[in-house]
Every structure is written in structure tokens, then in C-alpha cells.
Coordinates of all heavy atoms in Angstrom, one line a residue:
M26 N -54.8 29.9 140.2 CA -54.6 28.5 140.1 C -55.5 27.8 141.2 O -55.4 28.2 142.3 CB -53.2 28.1 140.3 CG -52.9 26.6 140.2 SD -51.1 26.2 140.3 CE -50.7 26.3 138.6
D27 N -56.3 26.8 140.8 CA -57.1 26.1 141.7 C -56.4 24.8 142.1 O -55.8 24.1 141.3 CB -58.5 25.7 141.0 CG -59.3 27.0 140.8 OD1 -59.3 27.9 141.6 OD2 -60.0 27.0 139.7
N28 N -56.6 24.4 143.4 CA -56.1 23.2 143.9 C -57.2 22.3 144.4 O -58.1 22.8 145.1 CB -55.1 23.4 145.0 CG -53.9 24.3 144.6 OD1 -53.6 24.3 143.4 ND2 -53.2 24.9 145.5
F29 N -57.1 21.0 144.2 CA -58.1 20.1 144.6 C -57.4 18.9 145.3 O -56.6 18.3 144.7 CB -59.0 19.5 143.4 CG -59.7 20.5 142.7 CD1 -59.1 21.2 141.6 CD2 -61.0 20.9 143.0 CE1 -59.7 22.1 140.8 CE2 -61.7 21.9 142.3 CZ -61.0 22.5 141.2
I30 N -57.8 18.6 146.5 CA -57.3 17.3 147.2 C -58.2 16.2 146.6 O -59.4 16.2 146.7 CB -57.5 17.4 148.7 CG1 -56.7 18.5 149.3 CG2 -57.1 16.0 149.3 CD1 -55.2 18.4 149.2
V31 N -57.5 15.3 145.8 CA -58.2 14.3 145.1 C -58.1 12.9 145.8 O -58.8 11.9 145.4 CB -57.8 14.2 143.6 CG1 -58.2 15.5 142.9 CG2 -56.3 13.9 143.4
L32 N -57.1 12.8 146.7 CA -56.9 11.5 147.3 C -56.3 11.6 148.7 O -55.3 12.4 148.8 CB -56.0 10.6 146.4 CG -55.6 9.3 147.0 CD1 -56.8 8.3 146.9 CD2 -54.5 8.7 146.2
T33 N -56.8 11.0 149.7 CA -56.1 10.8 151.0 C -56.4 9.4 151.4 O -57.5 9.0 151.5 CB -56.7 11.8 152.1 OG1 -58.1 11.6 152.2 CG2 -56.4 13.2 151.7
K34 N -55.3 8.6 151.6 CA -55.5 7.2 151.8 C -54.2 6.6 152.4 O -53.1 6.9 152.0 CB -55.8 6.5 150.4 CG -56.0 5.0 150.5 CD -56.4 4.5 149.2 CE -56.6 3.0 149.1 NZ -56.9 2.3 150.3
D35 N -54.5 5.6 153.3 CA -53.4 4.7 153.8 C -53.2 3.6 152.8 O -54.2 2.8 152.5 CB -53.7 4.1 155.1 CG -53.6 5.2 156.2 OD1 -52.5 5.8 156.3 OD2 -54.5 5.4 157.0
F36 N -52.1 3.4 152.2 CA -51.8 2.4 151.2 C -50.9 1.3 151.8 O -50.0 1.5 152.6 CB -51.0 2.9 150.0 CG -51.8 3.7 149.0 CD1 -52.1 5.0 149.2 CD2 -52.3 3.1 147.9 CE1 -52.8 5.8 148.3 CE2 -53.1 3.8 147.0 CZ -53.3 5.1 147.2
V37 N -51.2 0.0 151.4 CA -50.2 -1.1 151.7 C -49.3 -1.1 150.5 O -49.5 -0.5 149.4 CB -51.0 -2.4 151.9 CG1 -51.8 -2.3 153.2 CG2 -51.8 -2.8 150.7
A38 N -48.3 -2.0 150.5 CA -47.4 -2.1 149.4 C -48.0 -2.5 148.1 O -48.9 -3.4 148.1 CB -46.3 -3.1 149.8
N39 N -47.7 -1.8 147.1 CA -48.2 -2.1 145.7 C -49.7 -2.0 145.6 O -50.3 -2.6 144.6 CB -47.7 -3.5 145.2 CG -46.2 -3.5 145.3 OD1 -45.5 -2.6 144.7 ND2 -45.6 -4.5 146.0
E40 N -50.4 -1.4 146.5 CA -51.9 -1.2 146.4 C -52.2 -0.1 145.3 O -51.5 0.9 145.2 CB -52.5 -0.8 147.7 CG -54.0 -0.6 147.7 CD -54.5 -0.2 149.0 OE1 -53.8 0.0 150.0 OE2 -55.8 -0.1 149.1
S41 N -53.3 -0.2 144.6 CA -53.8 0.8 143.7 C -55.1 1.4 144.1 O -55.9 0.7 144.8 CB -53.9 0.1 142.3 OG -52.7 -0.3 141.8
A42 N -55.3 2.6 143.7 CA -56.6 3.3 143.9 C -56.9 4.1 142.6 O -56.1 4.6 142.0 CB -56.5 4.2 145.1
V43 N -58.2 4.1 142.3 CA -58.7 4.9 141.1 C -59.4 6.1 141.6 O -60.2 6.1 142.5 CB -59.6 4.0 140.3 CG1 -60.2 4.8 139.1 CG2 -58.9 2.8 139.8
V44 N -59.0 7.3 141.0 CA -59.6 8.6 141.3 C -60.3 9.1 140.0 O -59.7 9.1 138.9 CB -58.5 9.6 141.7 CG1 -59.1 10.9 142.0 CG2 -57.7 9.1 142.9
D45 N -61.6 9.4 140.2 CA -62.4 10.0 139.1 C -62.2 11.5 139.1 O -62.9 12.2 139.8 CB -63.8 9.6 139.3 CG -64.8 10.1 138.2 OD1 -64.3 10.8 137.3 OD2 -66.0 9.9 138.4
I46 N -61.4 12.0 138.2 CA -61.2 13.5 138.2 C -62.3 14.2 137.4 O -62.5 15.4 137.5 CB -59.8 13.9 137.6 CG1 -59.6 13.4 136.2 CG2 -58.7 13.4 138.6 CD1 -58.3 13.9 135.6
K47 N -63.1 13.4 136.6 CA -64.3 14.0 136.0 C -65.3 14.5 137.0 O -66.0 15.5 136.8 CB -64.9 13.0 135.1 CG -64.3 12.7 133.8 CD -65.1 11.8 132.9 CE -64.5 11.5 131.6 NZ -65.3 10.6 130.8
S48 N -65.3 13.8 138.1 CA -66.3 14.2 139.2 C -66.0 15.6 139.8 O -66.8 16.2 140.3 CB -66.3 13.2 140.3 OG -65.1 13.1 141.0
F49 N -64.7 16.1 139.6 CA -64.3 17.4 140.0 C -64.6 18.4 138.9 O -64.3 19.6 139.0 CB -62.9 17.4 140.3 CG -62.5 16.7 141.6 CD1 -62.1 15.4 141.5 CD2 -62.6 17.3 142.8 CE1 -61.7 14.7 142.7 CE2 -62.3 16.6 144.0 CZ -61.9 15.3 143.9
G50 N -65.2 17.9 137.8 CA -65.5 18.8 136.6 C -64.2 19.2 135.8 O -64.2 20.2 135.2
L51 N -63.2 18.3 135.9 CA -61.9 18.6 135.2 C -61.9 17.8 133.9 O -62.2 16.7 133.9 CB -60.8 18.2 136.1 CG -60.8 18.8 137.5 CD1 -59.7 18.3 138.4 CD2 -60.7 20.3 137.4
G52 N -61.3 18.5 132.9 CA -61.1 17.8 131.6 C -59.7 17.6 131.3 O -58.9 17.1 132.2
S53 N -59.2 18.2 130.2 CA -57.8 18.0 129.8 C -57.0 19.3 130.2 O -55.9 19.4 129.9 CB -57.7 17.8 128.3 OG -58.2 18.8 127.6
T54 N -57.6 20.2 130.9 CA -56.9 21.4 131.4 C -56.4 21.1 132.8 O -57.0 21.6 133.8 CB -57.8 22.6 131.4 OG1 -58.5 22.7 130.1 CG2 -57.1 23.9 131.7
L55 N -55.3 20.4 132.9 CA -54.7 20.1 134.1 C -53.3 20.7 134.3 O -52.8 21.1 133.3 CB -54.6 18.5 134.2 CG -55.9 17.8 134.1 CD1 -55.6 16.3 134.0 CD2 -56.9 18.1 135.2
G56 N -52.8 20.7 135.5 CA -51.5 21.3 135.7 C -50.6 20.3 136.3 O -49.8 19.7 135.5
S57 N -50.6 20.0 137.6 CA -49.7 19.1 138.2 C -50.4 18.3 139.2 O -51.5 18.7 139.8 CB -48.5 19.8 138.8 OG -48.9 20.7 139.8
L58 N -49.9 17.1 139.5 CA -50.4 16.2 140.6 C -49.3 16.0 141.6 O -48.2 15.6 141.2 CB -50.8 14.9 139.9 CG -51.5 13.9 140.8 CD1 -52.8 14.4 141.4 CD2 -51.8 12.6 140.0
V59 N -49.5 16.4 142.8 CA -48.4 16.4 143.8 C -48.9 15.5 145.0 O -50.0 15.6 145.5 CB -48.1 17.8 144.4 CG1 -47.1 17.7 145.5 CG2 -47.7 18.7 143.3
F60 N -48.0 14.5 145.3 CA -48.3 13.6 146.4 C -47.3 13.9 147.5 O -46.2 14.3 147.3 CB -48.0 12.1 146.0 CG -49.0 11.6 145.0 CD1 -48.8 11.8 143.6 CD2 -50.1 10.9 145.4 CE1 -49.7 11.3 142.7 CE2 -51.0 10.4 144.5 CZ -50.8 10.6 143.1
Q61 N -47.8 13.7 148.8 CA -47.0 13.8 149.9 C -47.4 12.8 150.9 O -48.5 12.4 151.1 CB -47.2 15.2 150.5 CG -46.1 15.5 151.6 CD -46.0 17.0 151.9 OE1 -46.7 17.8 151.3 NE2 -45.1 17.4 152.8
N62 N -46.4 12.3 151.7 CA -46.6 11.3 152.8 C -46.4 12.1 154.1 O -46.1 13.3 154.1 CB -45.8 10.1 152.7 CG -44.3 10.3 152.9 OD1 -43.9 11.4 153.3 ND2 -43.5 9.3 152.6
K63 N -46.6 11.4 155.2 CA -46.5 12.0 156.5 C -45.1 12.4 156.9 O -44.9 13.2 157.8 CB -47.1 11.1 157.6 CG -48.6 11.0 157.5 CD -49.2 10.1 158.6 CE -50.7 10.1 158.4 NZ -51.3 9.2 159.4
R64 N -44.1 11.9 156.2 CA -42.7 12.2 156.5 C -42.2 13.3 155.7 O -41.0 13.6 155.8 CB -41.9 10.9 156.3 CG -42.1 9.9 157.4 CD -41.3 8.7 157.2 NE -42.1 7.8 156.4 CZ -41.6 6.8 155.6 NH1 -40.4 6.6 155.5 NH2 -42.5 6.1 154.9
G65 N -43.0 13.9 154.9 CA -42.6 15.1 154.1 C -42.0 14.7 152.7 O -41.6 15.6 152.0
Q66 N -42.0 13.4 152.4 CA -41.5 13.0 151.1 C -42.6 13.3 150.1 O -43.8 13.3 150.4 CB -41.1 11.6 151.1 CG -40.0 11.2 152.0 CD -39.8 9.7 152.1 OE1 -40.7 9.0 152.4 NE2 -38.6 9.3 151.8
S67 N -42.2 13.5 148.8 CA -43.2 13.9 147.8 C -42.9 13.3 146.5 O -41.8 12.8 146.2 CB -43.3 15.4 147.7 OG -42.1 16.0 147.2
A68 N -43.9 13.4 145.6 CA -43.8 13.1 144.2 C -44.6 14.1 143.4 O -45.6 14.5 143.8 CB -44.3 11.7 143.9
T69 N -44.0 14.5 142.3 CA -44.7 15.5 141.4 C -44.8 15.0 140.0 O -43.8 14.5 139.5 CB -43.9 16.9 141.4 OG1 -43.8 17.3 142.8 CG2 -44.6 17.9 140.6
F70 N -46.0 15.1 139.4 CA -46.2 14.7 138.0 C -46.8 15.9 137.3 O -47.8 16.5 137.8 CB -47.2 13.6 138.0 CG -46.6 12.3 138.6 CD1 -46.7 12.1 140.0 CD2 -46.0 11.3 137.9 CE1 -46.3 11.0 140.6 CE2 -45.5 10.2 138.5 CZ -45.6 10.0 139.9
L71 N -46.3 16.3 136.2 CA -46.8 17.4 135.4 C -47.7 16.9 134.2 O -47.3 15.9 133.6 CB -45.7 18.3 134.8 CG -44.9 19.0 135.8 CD1 -43.8 19.8 135.0 CD2 -45.7 20.0 136.6
W72 N -48.8 17.6 134.0 CA -49.7 17.2 132.9 C -49.1 17.6 131.5 O -48.7 18.7 131.3 CB -51.0 17.8 133.0 CG -52.0 17.5 132.0 CD1 -52.5 18.3 131.0 CD2 -52.6 16.2 131.7 NE1 -53.3 17.7 130.2 CE2 -53.5 16.4 130.6 CE3 -52.6 15.0 132.4 CZ2 -54.2 15.3 130.1 CZ3 -53.3 13.9 131.9 CH2 -54.1 14.1 130.8
Q73 N -48.9 16.6 130.6 CA -48.4 16.9 129.3 C -49.6 16.7 128.3 O -50.1 15.5 128.2 CB -47.3 15.9 129.0 CG -46.1 16.0 129.9 CD -45.4 17.4 129.7 OE1 -45.0 17.7 128.6 NE2 -45.3 18.1 130.8
K74 N -50.0 17.7 127.7 CA -51.1 17.7 126.8 C -50.7 17.2 125.4 O -49.7 17.7 124.8 CB -51.7 19.1 126.7 CG -53.2 19.1 126.2 CD -53.8 20.4 126.2 CE -53.3 21.5 127.0 NZ -54.1 22.8 126.9
N75 N -51.5 16.3 124.8 CA -51.4 15.9 123.4 C -52.5 16.5 122.7 O -53.7 16.3 122.9 CB -51.5 14.4 123.3 CG -50.4 13.6 124.0 OD1 -49.3 14.1 124.2 ND2 -50.8 12.4 124.5
I76 N -52.1 17.4 121.7 CA -53.2 18.0 120.9 C -53.0 17.4 119.5 O -51.9 17.5 118.9 CB -53.0 19.5 120.9 CG1 -53.2 20.1 122.3 CG2 -54.1 20.1 119.9 CD1 -53.0 21.6 122.4
M77 N -54.1 16.9 119.0 CA -54.1 16.2 117.7 C -54.0 17.3 116.6 O -54.4 18.5 116.8 CB -55.3 15.4 117.5 CG -55.5 14.3 118.5 SD -54.0 13.3 118.7 CE -54.2 12.2 117.3
P78 N -53.5 17.0 115.4 CA -53.3 18.0 114.3 C -54.6 18.7 113.9 O -54.6 19.9 113.6 CB -52.8 17.2 113.1 CG -52.1 16.0 113.8 CD -52.9 15.7 115.0
D79 N -55.8 18.0 114.0 CA -57.0 18.6 113.7 C -57.6 19.4 114.8 O -58.7 19.9 114.7 CB -58.0 17.5 113.2 CG -58.3 16.5 114.2 OD1 -57.8 16.6 115.4 OD2 -59.1 15.5 113.9
N80 N -56.9 19.4 116.0 CA -57.3 20.2 117.2 C -58.6 19.8 117.8 O -59.3 20.5 118.4 CB -57.3 21.7 116.9 CG -57.0 22.5 118.1 OD1 -56.4 22.0 119.1 ND2 -57.5 23.7 118.2
T81 N -59.1 18.5 117.5 CA -60.3 18.1 118.1 C -60.2 17.2 119.3 O -61.0 17.3 120.2 CB -61.1 17.3 117.0 OG1 -60.3 16.2 116.6 CG2 -61.5 18.1 115.8
D82 N -59.2 16.3 119.3 CA -59.0 15.4 120.4 C -57.9 15.9 121.4 O -56.8 16.0 120.9 CB -58.7 14.0 119.9 CG -58.7 13.0 121.0 OD1 -59.3 13.2 122.0 OD2 -58.0 11.9 120.8
K83 N -58.2 16.2 122.6 CA -57.2 16.7 123.5 C -57.0 15.6 124.6 O -57.9 15.4 125.4 CB -57.7 18.0 124.1 CG -57.7 19.1 123.1 CD -58.1 20.4 123.7 CE -58.2 21.5 122.6 NZ -58.9 22.6 122.9
T84 N -55.9 15.0 124.6 CA -55.6 14.0 125.6 C -54.2 14.3 126.2 O -53.6 15.3 125.9 CB -55.5 12.6 124.9 OG1 -54.5 12.6 123.9 CG2 -56.8 12.2 124.3
G85 N -53.8 13.5 127.1 CA -52.5 13.7 127.7 C -52.1 12.6 128.7 O -52.8 11.6 128.8
Y86 N -51.0 12.9 129.4 CA -50.5 12.0 130.4 C -49.8 12.8 131.5 O -49.4 13.9 131.3 CB -49.6 10.9 129.8 CG -48.4 11.5 129.2 CD1 -47.2 11.6 129.9 CD2 -48.4 12.1 127.9 CE1 -46.0 12.1 129.4 CE2 -47.2 12.6 127.4 CZ -46.1 12.6 128.1 OH -44.9 13.2 127.6
F87 N -49.6 12.2 132.7 CA -48.8 12.8 133.7 C -47.4 12.3 133.6 O -47.1 11.2 133.7 CB -49.4 12.5 135.1 CG -50.6 13.2 135.4 CD1 -51.9 12.7 135.3 CD2 -50.5 14.5 135.9 CE1 -53.0 13.4 135.6 CE2 -51.7 15.2 136.2 CZ -52.9 14.7 136.1
K88 N -46.5 13.3 133.5 CA -45.0 13.0 133.4 C -44.4 13.2 134.7 O -44.5 14.2 135.4 CB -44.4 14.0 132.3 CG -42.9 13.8 132.2 CD -42.4 14.7 131.2 CE -40.9 14.5 131.0 NZ -40.3 15.4 130.0
E89 N -43.6 12.2 135.1 CA -43.0 12.2 136.4 C -41.8 13.2 136.4 O -41.0 13.3 135.5 CB -42.4 10.8 136.7 CG -41.7 10.7 138.1 CD -41.2 9.3 138.3 OE1 -41.9 8.4 138.2 OE2 -40.0 9.2 138.7
V90 N -41.8 14.1 137.4 CA -40.8 15.1 137.6 C -39.9 14.7 138.7 O -38.7 14.6 138.6 CB -41.4 16.5 137.8 CG1 -40.3 17.5 138.1 CG2 -42.3 16.9 136.7
T91 N -40.5 14.5 139.9 CA -39.7 14.0 141.1 C -40.6 12.9 141.7 O -41.8 12.9 141.6 CB -39.5 15.0 142.1 OG1 -40.7 15.6 142.6 CG2 -38.6 16.2 141.6
N92 N -39.9 11.9 142.3 CA -40.7 10.8 142.9 C -39.9 10.1 144.0 O -39.2 9.2 143.8 CB -41.1 9.8 141.9 CG -42.2 8.8 142.4 OD1 -42.4 8.8 143.5 ND2 -42.8 8.1 141.4
E93 N -40.0 10.6 145.3 CA -39.4 10.0 146.4 C -40.2 8.9 147.0 O -39.8 8.3 147.9 CB -39.2 11.1 147.5 CG -38.3 12.3 147.1 CD -38.3 13.4 148.1 OE1 -39.3 13.7 148.7 OE2 -37.2 13.9 148.3
L94 N -41.5 8.7 146.5 CA -42.4 7.8 147.1 C -42.6 6.5 146.4 O -43.2 5.6 146.9 CB -43.8 8.5 147.1 CG -43.8 9.9 147.9 CD1 -45.2 10.5 147.7 CD2 -43.5 9.7 149.3
G95 N -42.1 6.4 145.2 CA -42.3 5.2 144.4 C -43.7 5.0 143.8 O -44.1 3.9 143.5
V96 N -44.4 6.1 143.7 CA -45.8 6.1 143.2 C -45.8 6.1 141.7 O -44.9 6.7 141.0 CB -46.5 7.4 143.7 CG1 -47.9 7.6 143.1 CG2 -46.5 7.5 145.2
R97 N -46.7 5.3 141.1 CA -46.9 5.3 139.7 C -48.3 5.8 139.3 O -49.3 5.5 140.1 CB -46.7 3.9 139.1 CG -45.3 3.4 139.3 CD -45.1 2.0 138.7 NE -46.1 1.0 139.1 CZ -46.0 0.2 140.2 NH1 -45.0 0.3 141.0 NH2 -46.9 -0.7 140.4
I98 N -48.4 6.5 138.2 CA -49.7 7.1 137.8 C -50.0 6.7 136.4 O -49.2 6.6 135.5 CB -49.5 8.7 137.8 CG1 -49.1 9.2 139.1 CG2 -50.8 9.3 137.3 CD1 -50.1 9.0 140.2
A99 N -51.3 6.3 136.2 CA -51.8 6.1 134.9 C -53.1 6.9 134.7 O -53.9 7.0 135.6 CB -52.1 4.6 134.7
H100 N -53.3 7.5 133.5 CA -54.4 8.4 133.3 C -55.2 7.8 132.1 O -54.5 7.6 131.0 CB -54.0 9.8 133.0 CG -55.1 10.7 132.6 ND1 -55.4 11.0 131.3 CD2 -56.0 11.4 133.4 CE1 -56.5 11.8 131.3 NE2 -56.9 12.0 132.5
Y101 N -56.5 7.7 132.2 CA -57.3 7.2 131.1 C -58.7 7.8 131.1 O -59.4 7.6 132.1 CB -57.3 5.7 131.0 CG -58.2 5.2 129.8 CD1 -57.6 5.3 128.5 CD2 -59.4 4.8 130.0 CE1 -58.4 4.9 127.5 CE2 -60.2 4.4 128.9 CZ -59.7 4.4 127.6 OH -60.4 4.0 126.6
D102 N -59.0 8.6 130.2 CA -60.4 9.1 130.0 C -61.0 9.7 131.3 O -62.1 9.3 131.7 CB -61.3 8.0 129.4 CG -62.6 8.6 128.8 OD1 -62.6 9.8 128.4 OD2 -63.6 7.8 128.8
G103 N -60.3 10.6 132.0 CA -60.8 11.2 133.1 C -60.6 10.5 134.4 O -61.2 10.9 135.5
F104 N -59.9 9.4 134.4 CA -59.6 8.6 135.6 C -58.1 8.5 135.8 O -57.4 8.3 134.9 CB -60.2 7.2 135.5 CG -61.7 7.2 135.6 CD1 -62.4 7.3 134.4 CD2 -62.4 7.1 136.7 CE1 -63.8 7.3 134.4 CE2 -63.8 7.1 136.7 CZ -64.5 7.2 135.5
I105 N -57.7 8.6 137.1 CA -56.3 8.4 137.4 C -56.2 7.2 138.3 O -56.9 7.0 139.3 CB -55.7 9.6 138.2 CG1 -55.8 10.9 137.4 CG2 -54.3 9.4 138.6 CD1 -55.5 12.1 138.2
T106 N -55.3 6.3 137.9 CA -54.9 5.1 138.7 C -53.6 5.4 139.4 O -52.6 5.6 138.8 CB -54.9 3.8 137.9 OG1 -56.1 3.6 137.3 CG2 -54.6 2.6 138.8
V107 N -53.6 5.4 140.8 CA -52.5 5.6 141.6 C -52.0 4.3 142.1 O -52.8 3.6 142.8 CB -52.8 6.6 142.8 CG1 -51.6 6.8 143.7 CG2 -53.3 7.9 142.2
T108 N -50.8 3.9 141.9 CA -50.2 2.7 142.5 C -49.1 3.0 143.4 O -48.1 3.7 143.0 CB -49.7 1.7 141.3 OG1 -50.8 1.5 140.4 CG2 -49.3 0.4 141.9
N109 N -49.2 2.6 144.6 CA -48.2 2.8 145.7 C -47.0 2.0 145.4 O -47.1 0.9 144.7 CB -48.8 2.5 147.0 CG -47.8 2.8 148.2 OD1 -47.1 3.8 148.1 ND2 -47.8 2.0 149.2
G110 N -45.9 2.4 145.9 CA -44.6 1.7 145.8 C -44.6 0.5 146.7 O -45.6 0.0 147.1
G111 N -43.4 0.1 147.1 CA -43.2 -1.2 147.8 C -43.4 -1.1 149.3 O -43.2 -2.1 150.0
G112 N -43.8 0.0 149.9 CA -43.9 0.2 151.3 C -45.3 0.7 151.8 O -46.1 1.2 151.0
V113 N -45.6 0.5 153.0 CA -46.9 1.0 153.6 C -46.7 2.5 153.8 O -45.7 2.9 154.4 CB -47.2 0.3 154.9 CG1 -48.4 0.9 155.6 CG2 -47.3 -1.2 154.7
Q114 N -47.6 3.3 153.4 CA -47.6 4.7 153.6 C -48.9 5.4 153.4 O -49.8 4.9 152.6 CB -46.5 5.4 152.7 CG -46.7 5.3 151.3 CD -45.6 5.9 150.5 OE1 -44.8 6.7 151.0 NE2 -45.4 5.5 149.2
Y115 N -49.1 6.5 154.1 CA -50.3 7.4 153.9 C -49.9 8.4 152.8 O -48.9 9.0 152.8 CB -50.6 8.1 155.2 CG -51.6 9.2 155.0 CD1 -53.0 8.9 155.1 CD2 -51.2 10.5 154.8 CE1 -53.9 9.9 154.9 CE2 -52.2 11.5 154.7 CZ -53.5 11.2 154.7 OH -54.4 12.2 154.6
L116 N -50.8 8.5 151.8 CA -50.6 9.5 150.7 C -51.7 10.5 150.6 O -52.9 10.1 150.8 CB -50.4 8.8 149.4 CG -49.2 7.9 149.2 CD1 -49.3 7.2 147.9 CD2 -47.9 8.7 149.3
E117 N -51.4 11.7 150.4 CA -52.3 12.8 150.1 C -51.9 13.3 148.7 O -50.8 13.6 148.4 CB -52.3 13.9 151.1 CG -53.3 15.0 150.8 CD -53.3 16.0 151.9 OE1 -53.8 15.7 153.0 OE2 -52.9 17.1 151.7
A118 N -52.9 13.4 147.8 CA -52.7 13.9 146.4 C -53.5 15.2 146.2 O -54.7 15.2 146.5 CB -53.1 12.8 145.4
E119 N -52.8 16.2 145.7 CA -53.4 17.4 145.3 C -53.2 17.7 143.8 O -52.1 17.6 143.3 CB -52.7 18.6 146.1 CG -53.3 19.9 145.9 CD -52.6 21.0 146.7 OE1 -51.4 21.0 146.9 OE2 -53.4 21.8 147.3
L120 N -54.3 18.0 143.2 CA -54.3 18.3 141.7 C -54.4 19.8 141.6 O -55.3 20.4 142.1 CB -55.5 17.6 141.0 CG -55.6 17.7 139.5 CD1 -54.4 17.1 138.9 CD2 -56.8 17.0 139.1
K121 N -53.4 20.3 140.9 CA -53.3 21.8 140.7 C -53.7 22.1 139.2 O -53.1 21.5 138.3 CB -51.9 22.3 141.0 CG -51.5 22.0 142.4 CD -50.2 22.5 142.8 CE -49.9 22.3 144.2 NZ -48.7 22.9 144.7
I122 N -54.6 23.0 139.1 CA -55.1 23.4 137.7 C -54.5 24.7 137.3 O -54.4 25.6 138.1 CB -56.6 23.5 137.7 CG1 -57.2 22.2 138.3 CG2 -57.2 23.8 136.4 CD1 -56.9 21.0 137.5

């Protein structure tokens, strides 16, 4: 299993950041996205793959498993938008393949 640190950032309340996961050479073969702050709190999102009946289009989304941070994730065409919750915090995100 490969791990990639895809984001390290100080966020203000409700701030968003876009991460280009295509730049890491990643497609729809993803595993989980794990966030952690400096206090040890975390959030985990698992990749849920959508495979079309003709098996040509492979898309998906990140499903929230645990979230102590109030982080929201949106995925579209190789980009992840991370939106911080209501407080100021430093976040580090690791993408596990």
C-alpha cells in the first residue's frame, strides 16, 4: 500500500483548498483519505468506486467513516476539495492507495 501526503495547511474557519490528485498519477484506484490535526484528532474517508454496467466509466466518491474535525470532502475528475469546519486548525491529509 502506498501513502501520499497530499495536503499540509493551516486553515481558518470554513476555508477550502483544492488538491490535484492527478498530479500524483492517481486515477480511480484510491483507498482512503486520512486527516489529522496537531491535537491528534482525525477524520477518515474511504473511496467508494462506482463502476458503470458497461465497465468503461470508473468514478467514485469519498465516504465519511469518522470525522472529529468537521472536514468536508468533494471529489470531481481527479480533484479533491477540502473544506475545513468551523474552527482554526492545521490539517495534514494522507491519501492511501
Side-chain angles (χ1 to χ4, degrees):
M26 180 177 272
D27 293 322
N28 298 340
F29 300 90
I30 300 295
V31 294
L32 176 73
T33 56
K34 180 173 175 28
D35 285 307
F36 281 87
V37 296
N39 302 308
E40 181 181 2
S41 294
V43 176
V44 178
D45 176 7
I46 61 173
K47 282 184 179 179
S48 66
F49 290 94
L51 306 174
S53 63
T54 308
L55 303 172
S57 62
L58 184 60
V59 179
F60 290 86
Q61 191 163 0
N62 67 9
K63 289 182 179 178
R64 289 179 269 155
Q66 295 171 307
S67 64
T69 303
F70 298 83
L71 294 179
W72 181 250
Q73 297 294 302
K74 200 179 334 181
N75 297 329
I76 300 177
M77 304 307 284
D79 61 4
N80 205 25
T81 57
D82 189 24
K83 295 180 180 164
T84 61
Y86 63 96
F87 283 100
K88 179 179 179 180
E89 182 179 311
V90 177
T91 61
N92 193 347
E93 300 172 318
L94 304 171
V96 174
R97 294 183 311 272
I98 302 296
H100 174 266
Y101 180 75
D102 197 26
F104 293 89
I105 299 171
T106 302
V107 177
T108 304
N109 184 37
V113 175
Q114 64 184 338
Y115 170 84
L116 294 176
E117 181 174 291
E119 182 177 44
L120 185 60
K121 298 180 180 190
I122 306 299

